[in-house]
C-alpha cells in the first residue's frame, strides 16, 4: 500500500496536517515559469487555489524540513526529464506554438520519492488505520515513495531545491545527473521575450517587468479595442497609436532597444 504524504514525518510525533499551497503569489520567477510552461502572463493565478493539484498536505515538521532543504520531494526521473524537455521546447518556440504543461502532466495522482538530504535524518511513517508509527526506509537502491495528486511541475518548483546539489551518495542513488539543472535553468536565468509582455503593463499582477522592457510598456492598464465605443473616433485613434507602438517595440527586442514614450 502506497503512503500518503500526510502520514510521513521527520519525527515520531504526528499532528494535524497542514494544507500547503505550492505555487503562490509570492513564489519567485512566476513570469519565467509561465513562459516555460506554455502559459500566458498572469494565467498561473488561476491555479493558486486548485485543489488538490496545487496543494500538499504536510506535517508541520516535514514542511519545515522541506523549506530548509533537509528533505526533498522528487518525482520519478522520467517525469523530471519530461518537464526539462517541455521547457526546453517552449523556450525555443514562438509564443503561439508553445505547449501547455498540463498536456504533459495532467492533474491526477502521481508517485513521488521522499529524499532525506541530511545524513542521520530519519523518516517516520504513520499507519493511517492504526496510527502506529514506524521508521520509514527505502530499499538499498531507492527512496521511500508516496502517492500525491499535486502536479509534478508544481512540486519540482517548490520542494526540490535541495536536489540541485545533493550529497554525492544521494546524487548517485537518484541517478539524476544534470536533469535537475535542466529543469531549473529556465526558471532562474534569462527572461521571456517581449512578446510575452505585449498585453501587460508595468506593475500588473504586482510583479516587476525586466528592466530592458520597462520603457516599452505602459505604466497603466492599456485601453483595449473592446473597451472603446466605435463612435469615439478620437479615443479609437489613441488605441491604434498604442497598438502601433507595441508592434514597433516588438521588433526592437534587445537591450539597446529605443526608449519609447507612452502618451495619451
Amino acid at each position: 500500500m502506497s503512503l500518503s504524504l500526510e502520514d510521513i514525518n521527520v519525527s515520531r510525533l504526528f499532528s494535524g496536517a497542514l494544507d500547503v499551497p505550492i505555487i503562490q503569489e509570492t513564489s519567485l520567477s512566476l513570469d519565467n515559469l509561465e513562459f516555460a510552461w506554455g502559459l500566458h502572463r498572469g494565467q498561473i493565478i488561476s491555479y493558486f487555489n486548485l485543489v488538490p493539484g496545487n496543494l500538499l498536505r504536510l506535517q508541520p515538521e516535514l514542511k519545515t524540513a522541506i523549506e530548509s532543504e533537509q528533505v526533498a520531494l522528487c518525482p520519478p526521473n522520467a517525469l523530471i526529464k519530461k518537464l526539462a524537455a517541455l521547457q526546453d521546447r517552449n523556450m525555443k518556440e514562438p509564443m503561439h506554438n508553445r505547449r501547455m504543461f498540463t498536456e504533459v502532466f495532467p492533474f491526477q495522482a502521481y508517485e513521488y520519492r521522499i529524499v532525506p538530504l541530511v545524513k542521520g535524518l530519519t523518516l517516520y511513517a504513520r499507519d493511517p488505520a492504526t496510527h502506529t508509527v514506524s521508521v520509514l526506509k527505502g530499499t538499498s537502491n531507492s527512496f521511500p515513495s508516496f502517492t500525491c495528486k499535486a502536479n509534478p511541475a508544481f512540486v519540482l518548483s517548490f520542494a526540490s531545491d535541495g536536489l540541485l546539489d545533493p550529497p554525492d551518495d544521494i546524487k548517485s542513488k537518484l541517478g539524476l545527473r544534470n536533469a535537475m539543472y535542466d529543469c531549473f535553468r529556465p526558471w532562474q536565468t534569462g527572461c521571456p521575450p517581449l512578446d510575452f509582455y505585449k498585453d501587460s503593463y508595468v506593475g500588473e499582477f504586482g510583479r516587476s517587468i525586466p528592466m530592458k522592457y520597462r520603457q516599452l510598456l505602459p505604466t497603466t492598464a492599456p485601453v483595449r479595442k473592446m473597451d472603446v465605443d466605435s463612435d469615439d473616433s478620437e479615443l479609437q485613434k489613441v488605441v491604434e497609436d498604442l497598438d502601433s507602438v507595441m508592434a514597433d517595440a516588438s521588433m526592437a527586442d534587445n537591450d539597446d532597444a529605443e526608449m519609447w514614450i507612452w502618451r495619451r
Side-chain angles (χ1 to χ4, degrees):
M1 179 182 70
S2 181
L3 286 169
S4 63
L5 186 54
E6 64 185 293
D7 291 315
I8 300 174
N9 203 7
V10 292
S11 82
R12 289 185 174 275
L13 300 177
F14 283 77
S15 58
L18 302 175
D19 288 337
V20 181
I22 309 172
I23 298 291
Q24 305 175 59
E25 187 175 353
T26 55
S27 299
L28 299 177
S29 304
L30 288 180
D31 284 356
N32 292 39
L33 288 179
E34 286 173 323
F35 181 66
W37 293 354
L39 301 172
H40 295 289
R41 192 166 195 254
Q43 193 175 355
I44 203 168
I45 294 171
S46 63
Y47 295 97
F48 286 171
N49 297 318
L50 185 66
V51 178
N54 188 40
L55 192 75
L56 293 172
R57 287 186 56 79
L58 299 169
Q59 291 293 318
E61 290 168 294
L62 182 58
K63 176 179 179 290
T64 300
I66 291 172
E67 292 173 342
S68 60
E69 298 185 16
Q70 298 179 65
V71 174
L73 308 181
C74 184
N77 291 9
L79 295 188
I80 295 174
K81 292 175 182 177
K82 277 187 177 182
L83 181 60
L86 171 72
Q87 294 179 157
D88 183 63
R89 176 190 184 279
N90 283 344
M91 298 290 283
K92 297 174 181 176
E93 290 288 332
M95 281 283 295
H96 67 276
N97 202 35
R98 292 174 304 146
R99 188 180 184 193
M100 280 188 63
F101 76 99
T102 50
E103 295 178 36
V104 179
F105 301 113
F107 287 99
Q108 62 186 35
Y110 292 91
E111 186 171 277
Y112 293 89
R113 294 164 289 180
I114 184 162
V115 182
L117 298 172
V118 177
K119 286 188 176 182
L121 182 68
T122 302
L123 295 172
Y124 297 90
R126 176 182 61 182
D127 186 298
T130 65
H131 287 192
T132 302
V133 176
S134 57
V135 174
L136 179 62
K137 296 180 179 180
T139 65
S140 59
N141 59 358
S142 67
F143 293 94
S145 63
F146 64 93
T147 300
C148 178
K149 290 187 177 180
N151 192 280
F154 295 166
V155 172
L156 277 168
S157 71
F158 166 77
S160 301
D161 286 4
L163 297 177
L164 272 174
D165 190 23
D168 289 341
D169 58 328
I170 301 294
K171 189 183 300 184
S172 174
K173 197 171 179 181
L174 282 172
L176 286 175
R177 298 189 181 276
N178 295 324
M180 288 303 300
Y181 284 100
D182 292 339
C183 271
F184 275 66
R185 190 180 300 113
W187 311 344
Q188 298 179 338
T189 60
C191 69
L194 179 59
D195 249 6
F196 180 74
Y197 297 95
K198 69 178 181 180
D199 294 321
S200 296
Y201 56 91
V202 176
E204 189 176 18
F205 311 121
R207 303 183 204 167
S208 63
I209 294 284
M211 183 65 71
K212 65 179 181 178
Y213 299 149
R214 288 183 190 175
Q215 297 298 328
L216 308 176
L217 298 169
T219 55
T220 58
V223 181
R224 313 291 186 191
K225 282 190 172 64
M226 68 178 63
D227 299 328
V228 178
D229 190 319
S230 59
D231 294 331
D232 192 338
S233 57
E234 183 178 348
L235 189 53
Q236 183 68 49
K237 180 65 168 60
V238 172
V239 174
E240 291 171 356
D241 288 345
L242 292 177
D243 287 345
S244 176
V245 171
M246 281 305 299
D248 290 339
S250 66
M251 297 175 65
D253 185 9
N254 57 62
D255 288 334
D256 298 319
E258 184 177 348
M259 303 284 279
W260 293 96
I261 300 176
W262 287 82
R263 296 190 299 254
R264 286 190 174 277

Short mmCIF file of all heavy atoms in Angstrom, two decimals, residues 85-114:
data_model
loop_
_atom_site.label_atom_id
_atom_site.label_comp_id
_atom_site.label_asym_id
_atom_site.label_seq_id
_atom_site.Cartn_x
_atom_site.Cartn_y
_atom_site.Cartn_z
N ALA A 85 12.37 18.64 -20.98
CA ALA A 85 12.19 18.65 -22.43
C ALA A 85 11.09 19.64 -22.84
O ALA A 85 11.24 20.36 -23.84
CB ALA A 85 11.86 17.25 -22.93
N LEU A 86 10.00 19.68 -22.08
CA LEU A 86 8.91 20.61 -22.38
C LEU A 86 9.39 22.05 -22.29
O LEU A 86 9.13 22.87 -23.17
CB LEU A 86 7.75 20.39 -21.40
CG LEU A 86 6.63 21.43 -21.47
CD1 LEU A 86 5.82 21.25 -22.74
CD2 LEU A 86 5.73 21.36 -20.24
N GLN A 87 10.11 22.36 -21.21
CA GLN A 87 10.59 23.72 -21.02
C GLN A 87 11.58 24.13 -22.10
O GLN A 87 11.54 25.24 -22.62
CB GLN A 87 11.23 23.86 -19.63
CG GLN A 87 10.22 23.70 -18.51
CD GLN A 87 10.84 23.80 -17.13
OE1 GLN A 87 10.17 24.11 -16.18
NE2 GLN A 87 12.12 23.54 -17.01
N ASP A 88 12.47 23.21 -22.45
CA ASP A 88 13.45 23.50 -23.49
C ASP A 88 12.75 23.80 -24.81
O ASP A 88 13.12 24.74 -25.52
CB ASP A 88 14.40 22.30 -23.65
CG ASP A 88 15.50 22.56 -24.66
OD1 ASP A 88 16.31 23.48 -24.43
OD2 ASP A 88 15.53 21.86 -25.70
N ARG A 89 11.72 23.03 -25.13
CA ARG A 89 10.95 23.25 -26.35
C ARG A 89 10.26 24.61 -26.33
O ARG A 89 10.32 25.37 -27.30
CB ARG A 89 9.91 22.14 -26.51
CG ARG A 89 8.98 22.31 -27.70
CD ARG A 89 7.83 21.33 -27.66
NE ARG A 89 6.99 21.42 -28.84
CZ ARG A 89 6.04 22.33 -29.02
NH1 ARG A 89 5.83 23.25 -28.08
NH2 ARG A 89 5.32 22.35 -30.11
N ASN A 90 9.59 24.92 -25.22
CA ASN A 90 8.83 26.16 -25.13
C ASN A 90 9.73 27.40 -25.17
O ASN A 90 9.33 28.45 -25.66
CB ASN A 90 7.99 26.19 -23.85
CG ASN A 90 6.75 25.32 -23.97
OD1 ASN A 90 6.35 24.93 -25.06
ND2 ASN A 90 6.13 25.01 -22.85
N MET A 91 10.95 27.26 -24.66
CA MET A 91 11.87 28.40 -24.67
C MET A 91 12.34 28.72 -26.10
O MET A 91 12.77 29.83 -26.37
CB MET A 91 13.08 28.10 -23.80
CG MET A 91 12.78 27.87 -22.33
SD MET A 91 12.26 29.34 -21.43
CE MET A 91 13.84 30.16 -21.22
N LYS A 92 12.24 27.75 -26.99
CA LYS A 92 12.73 27.93 -28.35
C LYS A 92 11.62 28.23 -29.36
O LYS A 92 11.89 28.75 -30.44
CB LYS A 92 13.47 26.67 -28.81
CG LYS A 92 14.73 26.36 -27.99
CD LYS A 92 15.32 25.02 -28.41
CE LYS A 92 16.56 24.69 -27.59
NZ LYS A 92 17.08 23.34 -27.91
N GLU A 93 10.38 27.90 -29.01
CA GLU A 93 9.27 28.04 -29.94
C GLU A 93 8.67 29.45 -29.89
O GLU A 93 8.77 30.15 -28.88
CB GLU A 93 8.16 27.03 -29.59
CG GLU A 93 8.53 25.59 -29.88
CD GLU A 93 8.57 25.27 -31.36
OE1 GLU A 93 7.86 25.94 -32.14
OE2 GLU A 93 9.33 24.36 -31.74
N PRO A 94 8.01 29.88 -30.98
CA PRO A 94 7.24 31.13 -30.92
C PRO A 94 6.14 31.03 -29.86
O PRO A 94 5.71 29.93 -29.51
CB PRO A 94 6.63 31.23 -32.33
CG PRO A 94 7.46 30.33 -33.19
CD PRO A 94 7.95 29.23 -32.31
N MET A 95 5.70 32.17 -29.37
CA MET A 95 4.71 32.20 -28.30
C MET A 95 3.49 31.33 -28.61
O MET A 95 3.03 30.56 -27.78
CB MET A 95 4.25 33.64 -28.06
CG MET A 95 5.21 34.48 -27.26
SD MET A 95 5.13 34.10 -25.48
CE MET A 95 3.46 34.62 -25.10
N HIS A 96 2.98 31.44 -29.83
CA HIS A 96 1.73 30.75 -30.17
C HIS A 96 1.91 29.25 -30.33
O HIS A 96 0.92 28.51 -30.40
CB HIS A 96 1.15 31.33 -31.47
CG HIS A 96 1.99 31.05 -32.68
ND1 HIS A 96 3.06 31.85 -33.04
CD2 HIS A 96 1.94 30.05 -33.61
CE1 HIS A 96 3.63 31.36 -34.13
NE2 HIS A 96 2.97 30.26 -34.49
N ASN A 97 3.16 28.80 -30.40
CA ASN A 97 3.40 27.38 -30.66
C ASN A 97 3.89 26.62 -29.42
O ASN A 97 4.30 25.47 -29.52
CB ASN A 97 4.43 27.23 -31.80
CG ASN A 97 4.34 25.88 -32.49
OD1 ASN A 97 3.25 25.33 -32.63
ND2 ASN A 97 5.47 25.36 -32.91
N ARG A 98 3.84 27.28 -28.27
CA ARG A 98 4.26 26.60 -27.04
C ARG A 98 3.22 25.57 -26.62
O ARG A 98 2.06 25.64 -27.01
CB ARG A 98 4.46 27.62 -25.92
CG ARG A 98 5.64 28.55 -26.13
CD ARG A 98 5.68 29.61 -25.04
NE ARG A 98 4.43 30.34 -24.99
CZ ARG A 98 3.86 30.84 -23.89
NH1 ARG A 98 4.46 30.67 -22.72
NH2 ARG A 98 2.73 31.50 -23.94
N ARG A 99 3.65 24.63 -25.83
CA ARG A 99 2.77 23.55 -25.36
C ARG A 99 2.53 23.71 -23.86
O ARG A 99 3.47 23.92 -23.10
CB ARG A 99 3.43 22.20 -25.64
CG ARG A 99 2.53 21.00 -25.37
CD ARG A 99 3.29 19.72 -25.68
NE ARG A 99 2.45 18.55 -25.52
CZ ARG A 99 2.89 17.30 -25.47
NH1 ARG A 99 4.20 17.07 -25.59
NH2 ARG A 99 2.06 16.29 -25.32
N MET A 100 1.29 23.63 -23.42
CA MET A 100 0.98 23.81 -22.01
C MET A 100 1.44 22.61 -21.18
O MET A 100 1.37 21.47 -21.63
CB MET A 100 -0.53 24.02 -21.80
CG MET A 100 -0.98 25.43 -22.09
SD MET A 100 -2.69 25.71 -21.62
CE MET A 100 -2.63 25.46 -19.85
N PHE A 101 1.89 22.90 -19.98
CA PHE A 101 2.43 21.85 -19.12
C PHE A 101 1.39 20.79 -18.78
O PHE A 101 1.71 19.63 -18.52
CB PHE A 101 3.02 22.45 -17.84
CG PHE A 101 2.01 22.90 -16.83
CD1 PHE A 101 1.69 22.13 -15.73
CD2 PHE A 101 1.37 24.13 -16.97
CE1 PHE A 101 0.76 22.54 -14.79
CE2 PHE A 101 0.44 24.57 -16.04
CZ PHE A 101 0.13 23.78 -14.95
N THR A 102 0.11 21.17 -18.77
CA THR A 102 -0.94 20.21 -18.43
C THR A 102 -1.13 19.15 -19.51
O THR A 102 -1.74 18.11 -19.25
CB THR A 102 -2.27 20.94 -18.18
OG1 THR A 102 -2.54 21.83 -19.27
CG2 THR A 102 -2.23 21.73 -16.88
N GLU A 103 -0.61 19.40 -20.71
CA GLU A 103 -0.67 18.37 -21.75
C GLU A 103 0.31 17.24 -21.44
O GLU A 103 0.11 16.10 -21.84
CB GLU A 103 -0.34 18.98 -23.12
CG GLU A 103 -1.34 20.00 -23.61
CD GLU A 103 -0.92 20.59 -24.94
OE1 GLU A 103 -0.36 19.85 -25.78
OE2 GLU A 103 -1.14 21.80 -25.16
N VAL A 104 1.37 17.58 -20.74
CA VAL A 104 2.38 16.58 -20.36
C VAL A 104 2.08 16.02 -18.97
O VAL A 104 2.28 14.83 -18.72
CB VAL A 104 3.79 17.22 -20.38
CG1 VAL A 104 4.85 16.21 -19.96
CG2 VAL A 104 4.10 17.76 -21.77
N PHE A 105 1.59 16.89 -18.08
CA PHE A 105 1.29 16.49 -16.71
C PHE A 105 -0.17 16.79 -16.38
O PHE A 105 -0.48 17.82 -15.76
CB PHE A 105 2.20 17.24 -15.72
CG PHE A 105 3.66 17.02 -15.93
CD1 PHE A 105 4.47 18.05 -16.35
CD2 PHE A 105 4.22 15.78 -15.72
CE1 PHE A 105 5.83 17.86 -16.55
CE2 PHE A 105 5.57 15.56 -15.92
CZ PHE A 105 6.38 16.60 -16.34
N PRO A 106 -1.09 15.93 -16.82
CA PRO A 106 -2.50 16.15 -16.45
C PRO A 106 -2.67 16.04 -14.94
O PRO A 106 -1.84 15.44 -14.25
CB PRO A 106 -3.23 15.02 -17.18
CG PRO A 106 -2.19 13.97 -17.42
CD PRO A 106 -0.89 14.70 -17.60
N PHE A 107 -3.72 16.64 -14.42
CA PHE A 107 -3.96 16.61 -12.99
C PHE A 107 -4.53 15.26 -12.60
O PHE A 107 -5.68 14.93 -12.90
CB PHE A 107 -4.88 17.76 -12.57
CG PHE A 107 -4.19 19.09 -12.63
CD1 PHE A 107 -4.36 19.93 -13.72
CD2 PHE A 107 -3.34 19.49 -11.61
CE1 PHE A 107 -3.70 21.15 -13.79
CE2 PHE A 107 -2.67 20.71 -11.66
CZ PHE A 107 -2.86 21.53 -12.74
N GLN A 108 -3.70 14.46 -11.92
CA GLN A 108 -4.04 13.10 -11.50
C GLN A 108 -3.09 12.72 -10.37
O GLN A 108 -2.26 13.52 -9.95
CB GLN A 108 -3.88 12.13 -12.68
CG GLN A 108 -2.45 12.08 -13.20
CD GLN A 108 -2.29 11.23 -14.46
OE1 GLN A 108 -3.18 11.18 -15.30
NE2 GLN A 108 -1.16 10.56 -14.58
N ALA A 109 -3.21 11.50 -9.88
CA ALA A 109 -2.31 11.04 -8.82
C ALA A 109 -0.96 10.65 -9.44
O ALA A 109 -0.89 10.06 -10.52
CB ALA A 109 -2.92 9.85 -8.10
N TYR A 110 0.12 11.00 -8.73
CA TYR A 110 1.47 10.64 -9.15
C TYR A 110 2.22 10.03 -7.97
O TYR A 110 1.91 10.31 -6.81
CB TYR A 110 2.25 11.88 -9.62
CG TYR A 110 1.74 12.48 -10.91
CD1 TYR A 110 0.76 13.48 -10.88
CD2 TYR A 110 2.23 12.06 -12.14
CE1 TYR A 110 0.29 14.05 -12.06
CE2 TYR A 110 1.76 12.62 -13.33
CZ TYR A 110 0.80 13.62 -13.28
OH TYR A 110 0.34 14.16 -14.45
N GLU A 111 3.19 9.21 -8.29
CA GLU A 111 4.05 8.65 -7.25
C GLU A 111 5.31 9.51 -7.14
O GLU A 111 5.92 9.88 -8.14
CB GLU A 111 4.43 7.21 -7.55
CG GLU A 111 5.19 6.55 -6.41
CD GLU A 111 5.39 5.06 -6.62
OE1 GLU A 111 4.47 4.29 -6.30
OE2 GLU A 111 6.47 4.68 -7.10
N TYR A 112 5.69 9.82 -5.92
CA TYR A 112 6.88 10.61 -5.66
C TYR A 112 7.81 9.85 -4.72
O TYR A 112 7.40 8.93 -4.02
CB TYR A 112 6.52 11.94 -4.99
CG TYR A 112 5.74 12.89 -5.87
CD1 TYR A 112 4.35 12.85 -5.91
CD2 TYR A 112 6.39 13.82 -6.66
CE1 TYR A 112 3.63 13.72 -6.72
CE2 TYR A 112 5.70 14.70 -7.47
CZ TYR A 112 4.31 14.64 -7.50
OH TYR A 112 3.61 15.51 -8.30
N ARG A 113 9.07 10.30 -4.70
CA ARG A 113 10.03 9.81 -3.71
C ARG A 113 10.27 10.90 -2.68
O ARG A 113 10.24 12.08 -3.01
CB ARG A 113 11.35 9.46 -4.40
CG ARG A 113 11.26 8.29 -5.37
CD ARG A 113 12.47 8.24 -6.28
NE ARG A 113 12.46 9.33 -7.26
CZ ARG A 113 13.41 9.51 -8.18
NH1 ARG A 113 14.43 8.68 -8.23
NH2 ARG A 113 13.34 10.51 -9.02
N ILE A 114 10.50 10.50 -1.45
CA ILE A 114 10.87 11.45 -0.42
C ILE A 114 12.33 11.20 -0.07
O ILE A 114 12.72 10.08 0.26
CB ILE A 114 9.94 11.37 0.82
CG1 ILE A 114 10.31 12.46 1.82
CG2 ILE A 114 9.92 9.98 1.43
CD1 ILE A 114 9.22 12.75 2.83
#
